[in-house]
Amino acid sequence: MRKIPPMLMPRDGRFGSGPAKIRPEALASLASVGTSLLGTSHRQSPVKRLVGTIREGLSELYHLPSGYEVILGNGGASQFWDIAVCGLVEQRSAHGVFGEFGGKFATASAQAPHLADPIIHEVAPGSVVLPQPDDDADVHAWAHNETSTGAAAPVRRSGTEALTVIDGTSAAGALNVDPEQFDVYYFAPQKAFASDGGLWFALCSPAAIERAERIAASGRWIPTSLSLVEARANSLKNQTVNTPSLSTLWLMKEQLSWVLENGGISFAERRARENTDQVYTWAEEHAHATPFVEAEYRSPVVATIDFDDAIDATKIASTLRHNSIVDVEPYRKLGRNQLRFGLFPAVDAEDVSRLLGCIDWLLTHPEETPDA
Ligand SMILES: *Cc1c(COP(=O)(O)O)cnc(C)c1O
């Protein structure tokens, strides 16, 4: 395997789309707080304070209107699909599907025996589609950023009575969003929030809370671990239904305070956009590369770049990996000659230009020629 000259290397080689780069400063702070936090009870005040700080931090970051609540629980974003199917969809959901993650929520809804078949609007990866205003559904769902394809969608109500339920997993912590335009914005923190996995967070409007309460009171059977009402009751006390990962909470708190101290979501979005703009510009100028997603929907956080037959993207990714630049493989099921870069706010712009320099170096120093 070719060895990339050390002078070209990024300082940090983590460019994955999730789990994604956690800032070294946050990891150091986790190590230093270790003995007073890790291995202590999640029912006592140090952890309750931590959860409280995160809940307040999220309200501040998104300027949540009064009545909106920050609810959290265990199981990551995937768990939230089941929670929504159990406790937010009354009869039928409508889904915009433009990649793997949006599709998984639609499937969860399709499999639920107590719901009518969902309305599914689907387009091929690389574009975006939203539920339609006249969809007769009580939940409208799509992803703010489809991590599997690198497409970002608008977040806006469709003008119906339906709840707008948005998967914010790789967008939350990086992209601005107007809370008046959603009822639920849920996400896991191991992507743009530069934390570790295992938790879900949901920013919920009064209408969403009312819906969850009404369904729970209707007599529908809802397992406790899938109950949004149970999760809410615990969250309001800065607790979770069962034991959360304390290190995930701590890293989340660290990233939230870093973003808030530096100016909030616009600071985070600027950093991510600076990173992805570099990559899109590079691809547009490159003879063998093109951005995969239609210009209008190109994600400011996850850039996907297609290569023509002259270039073997799999080989580039594996050579980069061998050089400790990791996780730029495309989403496994997409099956394209592609590289995918997670360029969340934690990633430094300088490292992105170094990453591109390393790829250029590999492309101009093919295996056959001796390394310069
Ligand atoms: C990663 C991801 C998920 C799944 O998150 P988990 O925490 O692994 O369940 C869901 N939706 C989107 C948009 C994602 O990027």
Side-chain angles (χ1 to χ4, degrees):
M1 275 284 186
R2 287 160 293 168
K3 172 125 174 54
I4 298 171
M7 58 172 296
L8 297 180
M9 290 285 290
R11 268 170 308 174
D12 200 302
R14 292 172 292 174
F15 296 100
S17 297
K21 179 184 171 186
I22 302 172
R23 290 180 317 115
E25 296 83 350
L27 291 171
S29 91
L30 177 64
S32 71
V33 79
T35 54
S36 59
L37 181 81
L38 301 184
T40 73
S41 169
H42 66 295
R43 301 286 179 213
Q44 295 301 326
S45 62
V47 174
K48 287 206 253 183
R49 270 202 308 273
L50 177 56
V51 172
T53 305
I54 293 169
R55 293 181 62 240
E56 285 157 26
L58 284 169
S59 297
E60 184 185 343
L61 187 71
Y62 288 103
H63 306 285
L64 292 185
S66 80
Y68 277 59
E69 290 176 6
V70 179
I71 304 178
L72 70 156
N74 283 311
S78 304
Q79 174 96 348
F80 198 83
W81 297 324
D82 296 330
I83 290 172
V85 162
C86 285
L88 282 173
V89 183
E90 200 142 23
Q91 289 175 344
R92 189 179 203 197
S93 54
H95 301 260
V97 176
F98 40 95
E100 185 70 14
F101 292 111
K104 284 186 171 173
F105 187 2
T107 302
S109 187
Q111 288 171 342
H114 58 282
L115 300 178
D117 285 342
I119 300 165
I120 297 175
H121 299 275
E122 187 162 8
V123 287
S127 188
V128 158
V129 65
L130 303 189
Q132 298 304 301
D134 57 1
D135 286 346
D136 105 49
D138 52 71
V139 159
H140 284 191
W142 65 95
H144 190 182
N145 188 73
E146 180 48 78
T147 323
S148 65
T149 66
V155 174
R156 52 162 191 257
R157 293 184 184 280
S158 51
T160 67
E161 292 296 296
L163 295 179
T164 302
V165 177
I166 302 295
D167 182 351
T169 296
S170 54
L175 303 186
N176 202 4
V177 63
D178 175 5
E180 302 285 358
Q181 297 297 324
F182 63 72
D183 291 294
V184 181
Y185 191 72
Y186 65 92
F187 56 89
Q190 71 274 21
K191 298 183 184 180
F193 263 116
S195 180
D196 208 353
L199 291 175
W200 57 262
F201 293 85
L203 317 178
C204 295
S205 76
I209 294 162
E210 191 269 335
R211 172 78 65 88
E213 297 280 2
R214 184 150 44 83
I215 292 177
S218 73
R220 182 189 284 181
W221 177 65
I222 302 176
T224 306
S225 66
L226 297 180
S227 165
L228 191 54
V229 170
E230 286 285 337
R232 173 174 182 248
N234 279 272
S235 299
L236 293 178
K237 294 184 280 182
N238 293 326
Q239 298 266 276
T240 43
V241 172
N242 60 325
T243 315
S245 158
L246 305 190
S247 41
T248 298
L249 288 170
W250 181 266
L251 294 169
M252 170 75 175
K253 190 266 306 172
E254 281 294 296
Q255 180 71 3
L256 251 178
S257 12
W258 179 68
V259 171
L260 287 170
E261 280 161 18
N262 282 286
I265 198 75
S266 57
F267 159 79
E269 181 158 338
R270 202 162 52 239
R271 281 183 58 95
R273 281 187 188 277
E274 193 184 338
N275 290 346
T276 43
D277 282 350
Q278 282 193 69
V279 172
Y280 294 133
T281 306
W282 174 87
E284 273 166 346
E285 289 169 358
H286 199 285
H288 301 288
T290 13
F292 169 51
V293 174
E294 291 171 20
E296 184 184 354
Y297 301 121
R298 261 167 225 167
S299 166
V301 279
V302 173
T304 44
I305 303 299
D306 275 352
F307 292 90
D308 69 19
D309 292 345
I311 289 172
D312 180 353
T314 307
K315 189 137 193 208
I316 301 278
S318 67
T319 310
L320 288 171
R321 181 173 290 283
H322 182 76
N323 283 273
S324 304
I325 297 174
V326 301
D327 298 340
V328 301
E329 291 83 3
Y331 190 73
R332 57 203 148 81
K333 289 189 200 151
L334 216 50
R336 300 185 72 87
N337 188 31
Q338 184 178 91
L339 295 178
R340 177 178 63 152
F341 307 99
L343 302 170
F344 301 114
V347 174
D348 295 323
E350 163 78 22
D351 277 352
V352 179
S353 64
R354 288 175 165 270
L355 163 70
L356 296 172
C358 290
I359 297 174
D360 282 333
W361 186 88
L362 288 175
L363 294 177
T364 48
H365 292 75
E367 205 94 63
E368 299 73 43
T369 51
D371 294 353

